[in-house]
Amino acid sequence: ATTKGERLHTCTVCKATKTEEVAALGAPAVGTESTSDDGTATYKVTVSGLTNGEVTYIAPTNKKSTTVIIPDTVVIDGVTYKVTAAEKNAFKNNKYIKKLIIGNNVKTIGKSAFAGCKKLKSVTIGKSVSKIGAKAFYGCKELKSINIKTKKLTAKKVGKNAFKGVGSKYYKKVVVKVPSKKYVKKYKKMLQSRGLSKKAKIKK
C-alpha cells in the first residue's frame, strides 16, 4: 500500500532486461475486507487513509480461539488503522470464546456481536465504547465478569436485551465493574433495563 514496487521484463530472444517502476497501491477503498498482517482476524475499512484510516473487526481467522483481543490498532498491508467497531454477529453463537478484551478505540459493538457465546466468562469493554447494539451479549449464560471502562454509555445508546441472559447459569456470581462510584447507580439502572439480572453485583 505504501511502498513502490518494481517489475522486471526479460526479452525471450536476446535476454536483455528492463525494469519498470510500479506505483504503491495506496489506501484501500471503504468497504474493502482484508486479513491483518498478523493473520489473526479480518477487518473492513470504514475510513480510508494511509495515516488516519479506521476499520471494523469482522471475525477471527481461528474460529476456535478461546481468548480474543479486539486491538486498539491493527496493521493491514503495512498500514496502521484504528479499530473503531466490532461488526454485528461477529461472534454470534461461537462455541469456544471464553475471554474477550475490547480495545480502547472501539466505539461501537454491533447487534448480536457476541450473542449466544455460551462459554464466554470474562469481558472487558474499552474506554471509548459509546454504543452497544441490541442483543450484543444476549444469552451469554456463563458470563460472570464484566469490566466496563467507558463512561459514555446511556440507555439510548445500549440496545434492547443487550445483556439479557448474561450469567444465567449463576446470576448471583455475576460482577460488573464500572469506572467509578458515581457510575454504580447510573449503570445499574441502565444495564438492568437492558436485561441484566437484578441479582448481579455492580461495583467500582
Side-chain angles (χ1 to χ4, degrees):
T2 60
T3 305
K4 293 178 181 179
E6 191 176 83
R7 182 182 291 115
L8 176 67
H9 299 273
T10 303
C11 177
T12 58
V13 178
C14 68
K15 306 302 179 184
T17 61
K18 181 180 73 171
T19 58
E20 176 186 7
E21 185 179 277
V22 180
L25 294 174
V30 171
T32 301
E33 295 185 8
S34 302
T35 301
S36 58
D37 286 4
D38 64 7
T40 58
T42 55
Y43 296 83
K44 179 170 65 179
V45 176
T46 53
V47 176
S48 181
L50 295 178
T51 56
N52 297 305
E54 297 180 6
V55 294
T56 290
Y57 185 105
I58 297 178
T61 50
N62 180 3
K63 304 297 183 182
K64 295 184 178 181
S65 295
T66 57
T67 297
V68 172
I69 298 174
I70 298 180
D72 295 351
T73 60
V74 65
V75 179
I76 301 173
D77 292 335
V79 180
T80 300
Y81 296 87
K82 284 185 178 181
V83 183
T84 57
E87 183 80 341
K88 65 179 181 180
N89 302 321
F91 289 83
K92 188 175 182 180
N93 296 325
N94 183 288
K95 298 178 181 179
Y96 301 96
I97 182 173
K98 294 181 180 180
K99 182 178 181 180
L100 168 67
I101 299 173
I102 298 173
N104 286 323
N105 285 327
V106 174
K107 299 175 183 177
T108 303
I109 298 172
K111 293 180 180 179
S112 300
F114 304 96
C117 292
K118 295 181 179 179
K119 291 190 176 181
L120 183 60
K121 298 177 183 292
S122 170
V123 170
T124 297
I125 297 175
K127 64 182 181 181
S128 295
V129 174
S130 60
K131 184 177 181 180
I132 298 178
K135 293 187 175 182
F137 296 97
Y138 182 89
C140 295
K141 65 180 184 179
E142 289 200 17
L143 180 52
K144 61 180 180 180
S145 174
I146 304 175
N147 184 1
I148 300 177
K149 294 184 176 182
T150 179
K151 299 177 181 179
K152 300 178 180 181
L153 297 177
T154 65
K156 290 183 178 180
K157 293 182 178 180
V158 179
K160 185 177 181 181
N161 294 328
F163 293 89
K164 188 174 180 62
V166 164
S168 60
K169 192 172 180 179
Y170 28 49
Y171 280 134
K172 291 182 179 180
K173 293 184 179 181
V174 176
V175 176
V176 180
K177 189 176 180 181
V178 297
S180 64
K181 285 184 178 180
K182 73 176 185 178
Y183 286 90
V184 172
K185 186 176 181 180
K186 176 183 177 182
Y187 275 17
K188 182 178 182 179
K189 181 179 180 181
M190 181 269 292
L191 292 170
Q192 287 180 352
S193 73
R194 295 298 178 262
L196 186 71
S197 170
K198 292 182 178 180
K199 296 178 181 179
K201 296 177 183 178
I202 315 290
K203 66 178 186 177
K204 173 188 174 297

